[in-house]
Amino acid sequence: MLQDAIKTQLKGYLASLVHPIVLEASLDDTPPSREMHELLHEVAALSDRVQVSEQGEATRRPSFVIKQVGAKGAGVSFAAIPMGHEFTSFVLAMLQVGGHAPKFSDDMVTQIRALPGQYDFETYVALSCQNCPDVVQALNAMSVINPNIRNVTIDGALFPDEVTARNIMSVPQVYLNGKLFETGRADAGQILAKLDAEAPKRAAAKLKDIAPFDVLIIGSGPAGASAAIYAARKGVRTGLVAERFGGQMMDTEGIENFISVPETTGPRLSAALEAHVRAYDVDVIPGEVATELFPAVHPGGLHGVALESGAILHARTVIVATGAHWRHLGVPGEEEYRNKGVAYCPHCDGPFYKGKRVAVAGGGNSGVEAAIDLAGIVAHVTLLQRGSHLKADKVLCDKLATLPNVTVLTEALTTRIEGNGRNVTGLTYRGGDGADHHVDLEGVFVQIGLLPNTDWLKDTVERNAFGEIVVNDHGATSVPGVFAAGDATTTPYKQIVIAIGDGAKAALSAFDYLIRVPAPVEKKVPA
Ligand code: FAD
């Protein structure tokens, strides 16, 4: 099952196991069990520190648990053949069970250890879902640190009855002690914050007396990360509010236009970005969201930035790099059936619509790409474009035209998503003839572009009609000392290399401001 290059790499990793591990399988006579059997034995053949036992007693079959040989505890479970996006989760779980500490801060480890309850997580994934490994790896690592936490990763495709019974239409979907806990991507910090109600208070208390920054960057996508590196390289005190490293790149399957890297994935590039930032003297403030900006009273003075935890940070310059998020249709039924037929990530949720009928709302590049992608999985795709023609690149439109199971409707404005109270059953659109038309279907993928994450700035800095922060050619906003970069701004062409360049430019401009504008003696804002 494993290619030779992967085997060689894995052999290297497994050689570093501190403790021997056992892969304890619960199998039956089905083809997936045979596949799991083959994978586990191939892995075990790579290291004398890995054994396979077929004496597992789990009810889900096939499944396996990774345990330390001779140690008590539940171990890390997979009711999945963890290939695709979950292969890294499998390798990490083996290394962590085998004695390599998860890469969490000391504070986080202490917090995980101190969690008081018994937590049984069931995490439903699809192997094609690139948002899923974040949750899986976070929960697995947490279970290695605290034996009262257990996690089993379940491939929905292997357990369709469970998927139907729990009405799962979107992954990752996490159950805790039998109840729905979380849908969608989450990292360990976010999971901890949900499990530990006191966490935000502690985070705020910890940041209470933090010294003002010279440059404070909000957002850790490509623009924010690049700004942080450029600022730190100037030797100034740099802070980075990092809700999620990588930003939109984490939702991106393949990236082929990051100059000098012919081909990579979003999660891989995001990990490289984070490693690069952490190689510098940047004060990374993880898992926090900025909620308000308090501009300095005078040029050169200290700006305040309020965080969701309640803390307020201060800085002489602020770089806003909060990027953008998927735009919603805003029609009746969209919120009600979110994750029950209304989806935004074709790579993640496409497999749940196998053999079903879906619509894609949006005829730009992402809509047409989604339609092409889904056409290979689902029975039929209806692509709805509100304008008179598709706006995607010609090469994509040409490809779309060759697909027999795609219907393109132009001048079709989606007005309502319908359902039966449990799932989506159809969609209504207003056609060019002014009449309402109905399409029976089971899923709607919304692909109508992005909205800047700038609402939190309210009317402090100038924004255009689309909510983008108005910047000049130095990345300066309407507020002296506040700069902005990337997709959150009026900079045209929302791309990774452009965001990275923008971040660098904003940081250099912030440094220029720091050396030219003297700091007045004034009180911090807010008072
Ligand atoms: P983002 O990547 O959006 O990052 C912003 C960060 O700020 C996020 O981590 C967010 O969580 C955080 N944030 C938001 N609000 C707050 C707040 N209030 N407080 C703290 N943090 C906050 N570009 C390419 O060049 N090539 C591609 O192949 C490509 N494919 C794409 C595919 C998809 C599906 C998508 C969605 C985008 C793609 N793009 C691609 C575009 C590219 O990802 C973006 O242009 C780029 O990520 C923008 O970077 P950014 O740092 O400005 O913003």
Side-chain angles (χ1 to χ4, degrees):
M1 278 182 90
L2 299 173
Q3 290 169 349
D4 287 345
I6 303 242
K7 278 190 191 170
T8 310
Q9 217 177 351
L10 191 53
K11 198 171 178 172
Y13 289 136
L14 295 176
S16 72
L17 285 174
V18 184
H19 306 290
I21 57 170
V22 56
L23 310 175
E24 188 183 279
S26 302
L27 303 173
D28 55 19
D29 286 336
T30 57
S33 276
R34 285 196 281 281
E35 236 183 285
M36 186 177 283
H37 177 275
E38 190 186 338
L39 173 67
L40 300 185
H41 282 276
E42 265 188 44
V43 171
L46 299 174
S47 167
D48 57 7
R49 303 198 137 227
V50 183
Q51 315 165 8
V52 179
S53 147
E54 294 181 24
Q55 309 301 315
E57 291 175 353
T59 27
R60 283 192 188 95
R61 283 166 194 257
S63 65
F64 68 95
V65 191
I66 308 169
K67 291 179 171 173
Q68 216 178 81
V69 172
K72 288 188 184 149
V76 174
S77 301
F78 286 87
I81 299 155
M83 301 301 286
H85 286 299
E86 291 307 337
F87 188 67
T88 311
S89 307
F90 175 35
V91 176
L92 272 175
M94 287 193 286
L95 293 175
Q96 290 168 354
V97 173
H100 286 269
K103 285 192 177 156
F104 290 153
S105 66
D106 293 348
D107 280 355
M108 202 181 252
V109 171
T110 309
Q111 205 185 334
I112 294 169
R113 281 208 184 109
L115 284 171
Q118 183 73 42
Y119 307 91
D120 274 310
F121 288 100
E122 296 164 290
T123 306
Y124 289 87
V125 301
L127 299 186
S128 57
C129 159
Q130 67 200 77
N131 290 329
C132 296
D134 269 9
V135 181
V136 169
Q137 289 165 23
L139 287 171
N140 286 349
M142 287 168 72
S143 73
V144 169
I145 292 166
N146 180 339
N148 295 325
I149 301 173
R150 295 168 186 223
N151 180 44
V152 52
T153 301
I154 304 158
D155 178 4
L158 286 186
F159 297 92
D161 293 347
E162 288 189 39
V163 167
T164 307
R166 285 183 153 163
N167 195 26
I168 293 167
M169 306 282 296
S170 171
V171 282
Q173 197 157 115
V174 182
Y175 285 76
L176 170 59
N177 299 336
K179 291 204 176 113
L180 184 60
F181 173 73
E182 176 91 48
T183 301
R185 180 202 295 279
D187 61 23
Q190 289 160 326
I191 295 169
L192 259 179
K194 234 174 144 171
L195 292 177
D196 179 359
E198 295 298 304
K201 265 195 218 155
R202 283 201 303 273
K206 230 179 118 196
L207 292 173
K208 190 170 160 275
D209 297 320
I210 196 165
F213 293 100
D214 292 316
V215 181
L216 176 65
I217 298 133
I218 316 295
S220 52
S226 156
I229 292 168
Y230 264 75
R233 284 170 65 84
K234 290 290 181 193
V236 296
R237 183 168 150 68
T238 305
L240 176 65
V241 177
E243 186 204 9
R244 169 167 93 131
F245 259 104
Q248 292 166 66
M249 294 198 315
M250 290 296 285
D251 300 327
T252 309
E253 179 72 18
I255 297 171
E256 298 180 352
N257 57 0
F258 189 71
I259 309 309
S260 86
V261 181
E263 210 180 321
T264 185
T265 67
R268 212 181 297 154
L269 196 51
S270 302
L273 205 72
E274 179 171 358
H276 198 172
V277 170
R278 290 193 187 273
Y280 284 93
D281 190 9
V282 175
D283 199 341
V284 176
I285 299 153
E288 286 276 13
V289 173
T291 53
E292 202 166 350
L293 173 72
F294 301 96
V297 180
H298 299 107
L302 287 175
H303 307 284
V305 174
L307 302 181
E308 208 168 52
S309 65
I312 295 180
L313 304 176
H314 292 93
R316 282 193 65 207
T317 64
V318 173
I319 297 176
V320 180
T322 45
H325 65 274
W326 292 113
R327 187 190 287 270
H328 292 187
L329 282 169
V331 299
E334 184 179 23
E335 259 325 292
E336 188 182 347
Y337 291 106
R338 197 168 177 186
N339 300 325
K340 301 292 171 207
V342 176
Y344 298 84
C345 176
H347 300 302
C348 313
D349 301 335
F352 292 100
Y353 296 84
K354 193 172 175 189
K356 296 182 177 167
R357 298 159 300 177
V358 303
V360 172
N365 275 341
S366 51
V368 173
E369 273 175 31
I372 294 169
D373 187 6
L374 290 164
I377 305 169
V378 305
H380 188 267
V381 182
T382 304
L383 180 78
L384 298 111
Q385 157 71 345
R386 65 185 287 180
S388 59
H389 61 278
L390 296 180
K391 290 198 173 146
D393 296 343
K394 185 173 179 306
V395 58
L396 293 173
C397 296
D398 289 349
K399 169 76 185 161
L400 188 73
T402 65
L403 300 173
N405 60 341
V406 177
T407 304
V408 176
L409 300 173
T410 52
E411 296 192 356
L413 176 67
T414 306
T415 53
R416 171 179 294 276
I417 294 170
E418 284 117 19
N420 56 12
R422 190 171 152 86
N423 297 118
V424 165
T425 55
L427 162 157
T428 298
Y429 69 91
R430 177 132 331 130
D433 55 3
D436 283 348
H437 302 265
H438 179 81
V439 187
D440 286 327
L441 41 73
E442 289 79 40
V444 180
F445 285 81
V446 181
Q447 301 281 302
I448 52 169
L450 295 167
L451 273 180
N453 300 321
T454 57
D455 283 354
W456 66 279
L457 293 165
K458 301 189 180 99
D459 53 5
T460 51
V461 299
E462 185 189 350
R463 293 184 289 154
N464 69 9
F466 305 107
E468 295 168 333
I469 302 164
V470 177
V471 285
N472 68 11
D473 58 4
H474 280 60
T477 71
S478 57
V479 175
V482 177
F483 300 83
D487 280 17
T489 72
T490 45
T491 300
Y493 309 120
K494 310 311 195 211
Q495 289 285 285
I496 298 162
V497 287
I498 291 173
I500 283 182
D502 237 24
K505 184 170 61 180
L508 294 176
S509 300
F511 180 70
D512 197 50
Y513 176 92
L514 286 172
I515 56 176
R516 282 171 202 271
V517 181
V521 178
E522 63 179 15
K523 285 189 184 150
K524 286 178 180 172
V525 286

